[in-house]
Amino acid sequence: MSQQYPRQSNFKPIIETPPVSGEYPRESTLKPIIETPPMSGEHNRDMSRGSFGSSKSYDSGPNPGTYVIQVPRDQVYRVPPPENAHKFKRYTKRKTNRNCCRSCICYTISTILLLILLLGITFGILYLIYRPKLPTYTIDGIHVKGVNLTATKVTETTITPVFNVTVKTNNPNGKISIYYEQGSKINIYRDGVNFCDGKLPAFHQPPKSVTVFSTDLSGSGIVLSKSAREKLLNEQKNGKIPLEMDVKVPVRIKLGSVKFWTMTVKVKCDVTVNELTVKAKIVSQKCKVRVTPW
């Protein structure tokens, strides 16, 4: 008597993986499938009593199976492979360097803001103590040479003007002295044309004082067209010739025993004279003063 025993196995174990640290336990999708291929042919055994008692036949066991493992994508790249380990180290090092640079920049900005705040507080205290005021400037006199408007030339006129300007400056501050330094510049314009230029003398002006000084300004090769010469003649007949004077002078102020850095004083005066001669008189003037701290 013989019987047939099927050898095909469909055993499918489910492998549970432990949760990764920081994640909630979840059901793993790792489900390896073990499939044993069927054995070639079916073996018939002689189950007779004589053969069963005298000899035993054993199978060699199941053949090695084939494993199909499904791994989620988020677990595949959790740890960089060895060949990319140096790239990971380089990236983390670069991130550390960036954090250091940001810290240095924040520290520098904070220091600068703190210094600005301290300077503001210091200047505020000094302002409350000394109550500084801007100096005032006026033009006491203008004498002009070298402007001949009666030339017979019809097309154009070339002039070489020389201006002698007398300026009066007033320092109204009681505890502040002003030092006028070298490097000043003064220009006189007429209808946007630079008639002449020159310099102011360097001097020291004590507190609560008035200083008067004269300076010569000269120009050369100033060409007047026929229309410009006629306009200037008409203005001279009316006794109103407008001029513009610009002054830039470096100064340093002294509060008590403290002498500050060099600042720039800018003066702009709109002056009207009756004629461009040595007997010229000032009809009107208006000056504006502005100080730039650098």
Side-chain angles (χ1 to χ4, degrees):
M1 183 176 179
S2 63
Q3 294 181 358
Q4 295 183 355
Y5 296 90
R7 307 300 299 170
Q8 183 174 2
S9 176
N10 291 327
F11 176 71
K12 298 183 180 180
I14 298 176
I15 302 175
E16 294 292 338
T17 59
V20 182
S21 60
E23 297 182 357
Y24 292 101
R26 60 184 179 185
E27 182 179 355
S28 174
T29 57
L30 303 178
K31 296 182 179 180
I33 302 174
I34 303 176
E35 296 181 358
T36 304
M39 300 176 62
S40 60
E42 297 291 340
H43 299 280
N44 296 327
R45 300 178 182 179
D46 187 3
M47 301 301 294
S48 61
R49 294 180 180 179
S51 60
F52 182 80
S54 60
S55 62
K56 295 180 181 180
S57 61
Y58 297 94
D59 293 337
S60 59
N63 290 336
T66 302
Y67 292 86
V68 179
I69 300 177
Q70 299 178 354
V71 182
R73 183 181 295 273
D74 60 347
Q75 296 184 9
V76 173
Y77 301 102
R78 189 173 299 279
V79 179
E83 59 270 14
N84 293 335
H86 67 285
K87 295 182 179 179
F88 178 75
K89 291 181 179 179
R90 186 188 307 170
Y91 174 77
T92 55
K93 185 176 180 181
R94 184 183 305 172
K95 190 173 182 180
T96 304
N97 293 335
R98 288 179 180 175
N99 292 333
C100 293
C101 291
R102 289 176 183 173
S103 300
C104 292
I105 292 173
C106 292
Y107 178 77
T108 303
I109 293 175
S110 300
T111 304
I112 292 174
L113 292 177
L114 181 60
L115 290 176
I116 293 174
L117 179 61
L118 292 176
L119 287 175
I121 294 174
T122 303
F123 279 110
I125 295 174
L126 292 175
Y127 178 82
L128 293 176
I129 294 175
Y130 291 97
R131 299 287 182 176
K133 298 178 182 179
L134 290 176
T136 59
Y137 301 89
T138 55
I139 302 174
D140 272 4
I142 294 179
H143 305 285
V144 185
K145 297 179 182 179
V147 179
N148 186 9
L149 300 178
T150 60
T152 57
K153 229 174 186 180
V154 179
T155 56
E156 60 184 26
T157 301
T158 302
I159 58 176
T160 305
V162 176
F163 283 65
N164 180 266
V165 181
T166 302
V167 180
K168 180 172 68 175
T169 173
N170 177 30
N171 181 11
N173 299 284
K175 298 180 181 180
I176 301 175
S177 58
I178 303 174
Y179 290 83
Y180 291 84
E181 298 184 338
Q182 298 287 345
S184 62
K185 189 174 182 181
I186 179 171
N187 299 81
I188 292 182
Y189 297 92
R190 157 69 188 172
D191 285 342
V193 178
N194 186 13
F195 259 35
C196 54
D197 54 57
K199 300 178 181 179
L200 296 179
F203 62 96
H204 168 241
Q205 188 172 23
K208 286 287 184 178
S209 63
V210 176
T211 304
V212 180
F213 59 88
S214 296
T215 183
D216 289 331
L217 314 177
S218 60
S220 62
I222 307 299
V223 179
L224 298 177
S225 63
K226 181 180 178 181
S227 59
R229 185 175 67 88
E230 291 178 353
K231 180 180 178 181
L232 195 56
L233 283 172
N234 290 331
E235 290 175 347
Q236 187 163 272
K237 289 179 181 179
N238 295 328
K240 292 183 179 180
I241 302 176
L243 300 173
E244 181 181 325
M245 186 176 70
D246 288 344
V247 181
K248 292 181 181 180
V249 53
V251 301
R252 296 184 68 179
I253 62 175
K254 187 176 181 181
L255 298 175
S257 60
V258 180
K259 198 173 183 180
F260 288 84
W261 62 87
T262 301
M263 306 178 187
T264 303
V265 174
K266 298 180 180 180
V267 184
K268 182 177 181 181
C269 295
D270 294 326
V271 186
T272 302
V273 296
N274 61 342
E275 57 183 358
L276 296 180
T277 64
V278 293
K279 297 180 180 181
K281 294 181 180 180
I282 298 174
V283 177
S284 64
Q285 62 174 304
K286 184 179 180 181
C287 295
K288 296 180 181 179
V289 182
R290 186 164 56 96
V291 179
T292 56
W294 47 79

